[in-house]
Amino acid sequence: MLKSVTRKRVRQTPNVDLSVRSRVTKLVASHDASRVEAVTYDNADGSAVTLESDLVVEASGRCGLTLQMLEELSLPRPEETEIGIDQAYASTIIERPFDHGSDWLGNIVLPSAPASSRGAFLFPIEKQRWLVSIGANHGDAPPGERAGFMDFVKGLRTSTIHQAIREARPLTDIARYKLPCSTRRHFERLESFPAGLLAIGDALCRFNPVFGQGMSVAAQEAVILDRLLVDATMDRLARDFFAAIQSTIETPWGVAMTDFVYPATRGVRPPDLAQRLQYGMALTKLAAQDPEVHRLTAEVSQLLKPQAALREPALAARVVSLM
């Protein structure tokens, strides 16, 4: 329903056109190779269409067209920072029993890190249904058939979700997804970049999806872009945009770095990782005791407050006392 309502609102915007069942295949550079001036895409009927543009924004996860364009123009690709997690999750929709009598609306099972990376989410959605997702890292992939899916749920650290869904009727197949790593592309470090081109969202920085931050980050970046478009020139837009979004990325990237709690996670560990993890574990312990601290940690993870809020002096003193 969320996607349907969002799409409906976009279609009601007079100056927005949607080209469905179409795939962009190439970015077209100007004759002097200084800017991107068009895109070529395959239409729904298979015909190729070239669309001229003042600004192209790539919002794909792999950023393939932008990286390809940089290679064609003999420009350097952005440096990449990766956090290798080999994350896998599986999701399905099931019928929510009308006689479900528990006093909770949704349920989250967090991993017992670093011993186990298994976790799960159960959330109510429209039409009296539940969306259930289970996941883990480093090769512990959830099965794609129902018996294996339920065995995975049964093996979680708490039994709440299994008890809720074990008799519930499945409504969809089980969809599976894998992500090798969280990836941050440092476009802000490039000295040269074509005018008329931007990357946004996952094309810039792709996070572990279980943290639920990707779309929120993309929306915040879109707000920054909207502000810059008021008076920015195309020649400076990319440089200004890539610089302006760095503070937006810092908090969710800091959350992504907590995946280093697992010894098998690949990547360059920050020098203060041990202190970060120790502080984070003590903070989690405190959050389990104090609802207000729990609320604060949720607000930070959902990008309502900056990560600095978790190190306010009064709170930090309480956390340190548990380390």
Side-chain angles (χ1 to χ4, degrees):
M1 185 173 68
L2 175 62
K3 294 179 180 179
S4 176
V5 171
T6 302
R7 186 180 183 86
K8 181 178 179 181
R9 290 290 299 272
V10 171
R11 293 182 71 94
Q12 291 172 345
T13 307
N15 62 337
V16 173
D17 292 324
L18 298 181
S19 182
V20 299
R21 296 181 177 88
S22 303
R23 181 181 293 276
V24 176
T25 57
K26 186 176 178 59
L27 305 181
V28 181
S30 60
H31 290 299
D32 63 1
S34 65
R35 59 170 291 111
V36 170
E37 59 182 13
V39 298
T40 299
Y41 67 92
D42 291 337
N43 218 336
D45 60 6
S47 61
V49 179
T50 297
L51 179 67
E52 294 184 356
S53 66
D54 294 315
L55 176 63
V56 176
V57 180
E58 178 164 5
S60 70
R62 294 178 174 83
C63 199
L65 293 170
T66 296
L67 298 179
Q68 178 183 333
M69 172 59 66
L70 293 178
E71 288 185 1
E72 291 175 355
L73 298 180
S74 298
L75 294 174
R77 293 165 57 114
E79 300 174 25
E80 295 185 0
T81 301
E82 294 185 348
I83 302 174
I85 52 175
D86 299 318
Q87 209 277 335
Y89 68 86
S91 301
T92 189
I93 294 174
I94 63 176
E95 187 175 60
R96 179 160 39 122
F98 282 96
D99 60 353
H100 175 66
S102 297
D103 58 355
W104 49 263
L105 295 176
N107 195 279
I108 301 175
V109 179
L110 299 178
S112 53
S116 172
S117 61
R118 291 192 172 195
F121 300 87
L122 182 151
F123 294 130
I125 60 175
E126 66 276 7
K127 298 181 180 179
Q128 191 64 26
R129 298 179 295 176
W130 274 325
L131 172 63
V132 184
S133 294
I134 58 177
N137 300 342
H138 303 302
D140 188 14
E145 39 80 27
R146 180 162 175 80
F149 185 96
M150 292 303 297
D151 284 343
F152 190 103
V153 175
K154 189 175 182 179
L156 295 171
R157 64 190 296 190
T158 62
S159 62
T160 306
I161 294 181
H162 183 260
Q163 290 175 354
I165 71 173
R166 61 184 176 183
E167 303 296 336
R169 182 166 66 97
L171 300 177
T172 67
D173 292 334
I174 297 169
R176 304 172 78 201
Y177 180 84
K178 290 185 177 181
L179 180 76
C181 57
S182 297
T183 305
R184 183 174 182 176
R185 297 186 175 93
H186 297 280
F187 284 93
E188 77 282 2
R189 299 177 184 174
L190 294 177
E191 295 184 1
S192 299
F193 194 79
L197 176 63
L198 287 178
I200 201 169
D202 280 6
L204 275 172
C205 193
R206 183 171 56 178
F207 308 96
N208 182 337
V210 302
F211 295 128
Q213 298 173 321
M215 287 188 287
S216 299
V217 173
Q220 291 177 338
E221 292 170 351
V223 171
I224 293 173
L225 176 58
D226 180 62
R227 186 179 70 244
L228 291 174
L229 285 172
V230 173
D231 52 16
T233 64
M234 284 299 159
D235 290 340
R236 287 195 52 86
L237 181 61
R239 180 178 300 177
D240 292 345
F241 175 72
F242 293 144
I245 63 171
Q246 295 311 307
S247 59
T248 299
I249 293 175
E250 282 304 321
T251 290
W253 188 251
V255 174
M257 290 175 65
T258 62
D259 278 325
F260 281 122
V261 70
Y262 304 107
T265 300
R266 304 179 305 279
V268 179
R269 285 162 162 74
D272 61 344
L273 178 63
Q275 295 90 328
R276 288 193 190 198
L277 295 179
Q278 188 179 18
Y279 188 91
M281 291 179 180
L283 179 64
T284 300
K285 187 183 300 183
L286 180 61
Q289 303 167 4
D290 187 331
E292 290 304 314
V293 177
H294 181 217
R295 176 186 292 273
L296 178 61
T297 60
E299 289 173 337
V300 171
S301 68
Q302 296 305 308
L303 310 182
L304 297 173
K305 291 185 178 179
Q307 200 167 31
L310 299 179
R311 291 188 176 272
E312 291 290 335
L315 175 61
R318 297 175 64 192
V319 174
V320 170
S321 68
L322 296 176
M323 292 172 62

